[in-house]
Amino acid sequence: MTGSPVWHPFTQHALEPAMKHIVRTEGAYLIDEDGSPIVDAISSWWVITHGHRHPTIMEAIRSAAESYDQVIFAEYTHAPAEELATGLIEIAPAGLKHVFYSDSGSTAVEVALKMALGYFHNIGASRSRISVMEHSYHGDTIGTMSAGERGVFNAAYEPLLFAVDRLPFPEPGREQETLDAFERFCASGRVAALIIEPLVLGAGGMKIYPGLVLAELKRIAERHGTLLIADEVMTGWGRAGTLFACEQAGIAPDILCTSKGLTGGALPLAATLCTAEIFDAHLSRDRRRTFFHSSSYTANPIACAAAVANLAVWKEEPVGGRIEALAANQRRHLKRFVADPRFRNVRQAGTIAALDLSVPAGGYLADVGPRLRAFFRERKLLIRPLGNVIYLMPPYCIADADLDRAYDAIDEAASAFARGRL
Ligand SMILES: Cc1ncc(COP(=O)(O)O)c(C=O)c1O
């Protein structure tokens, strides 16, 4: 126990060492109270894209704070929110025409689910079933947990979670089973939406599947009038190699959720984008058809200004080139583990690299997870395996030498584990 009143997320305080204070952030580093730089190899829970405290984004925050704090977002609007919405529509997959703001990935997904159900309610169709993919993660609120994988994370809350239809994960060679299951669910005529993480299931274990499967799921959804919600909260902003992962499947979803990298990771903000058809189903002189959702901090002007600056960074800097270079670097490093029996399932999607440490019993609660974390912490590396799944998702500015260090530590950890020293 730390003696602090703070209750940290996803933290078993009875087992964790005292928390180190971080006093500063810079580029790919967190600087701790001793002044030591820690390599942020997971981008502080996947939010930091260009690097901590990117100067353009920091300057936009400082400048917006000269004019704004929070502004109510009903009855009034402001330039940062307007500019951001226009910018997002320009770069988002075709057909997405409206932007609804919220504060986190979870709220972006809640908004998406409510938009989908509101759409069918307002057009007078009785569809309320949600299809999801096995091993998905969409957040920690009741709605998003309902759509996510059930397990130790949400066992206590199970009585409150709503039922969903689950598609099997498209394991290599068994993709047709996923498509057939979705076809069967849709045939009931009751499926409002399929919510899916495009190409990479993040918290579910960095499980990667081909864009062709996503494209086929979209075709099935279209055939049955089911909406497709792309949860790009993790995959967006270049993580999976393209600005949005949907691009690699050549599809445009009906609803897209984005957060994390939306502000480059500097401030909390989320956006749920939807088609004109969904917006129009809520447009009426009948006030009962209003989209009844808000949060106090909707479209915080300073966060929106940070996101507008992030769009400028994407336009003005060679972000695509940095992503390609990082992806190539990850590929090169992963090669050394492909035929290594200490690891299984060595995989990559864009800047995301993952490999499973071969253990007798895996899973999120595998004991090896916290021991690996401690091993990396001692070496000033922030790497948080999901059980025995080790992954690296660094900011795009990470130095080659720091990536080398991360992979050397993974190698060392596997050797220590094999010798029973971890
Ligand atoms: C795919 C996906 N959706 C939703 C969320 C929830 O986002 P937040 O933690 O900002 O609520 C996450 C978080 O990791 C995520 O990876």
Side-chain angles (χ1 to χ4, degrees), residues 86-102:
T86 307
L88 285 175
I89 295 302
E90 267 174 26
I91 58 167
L96 297 169
K97 298 289 181 209
H98 295 273
V99 176
F100 192 97
Y101 291 114
S102 64

Side-chain angles (χ1 to χ4, degrees), residues 133-136 149 167-181 196 199 201 204-214 217 344-347 356 389:
M133 187 175 273
E134 188 189 12
H135 303 301
S136 295
E149 184 71 5
L167 318 183
F169 179 80
E171 297 292 352
R174 297 175 59 184
E175 294 86 354
Q176 193 58 41
E177 292 174 29
T178 307
L179 304 178
D180 290 347
I196 195 159
L199 305 192
L201 274 52
M206 298 299 155
K207 294 174 80 72
I208 299 171
Y209 66 93
L212 277 176
V213 173
L214 183 56
L217 288 169
R344 281 194 305 258
N345 203 5
V346 177
R347 57 202 183 274
D356 303 349
V389 177

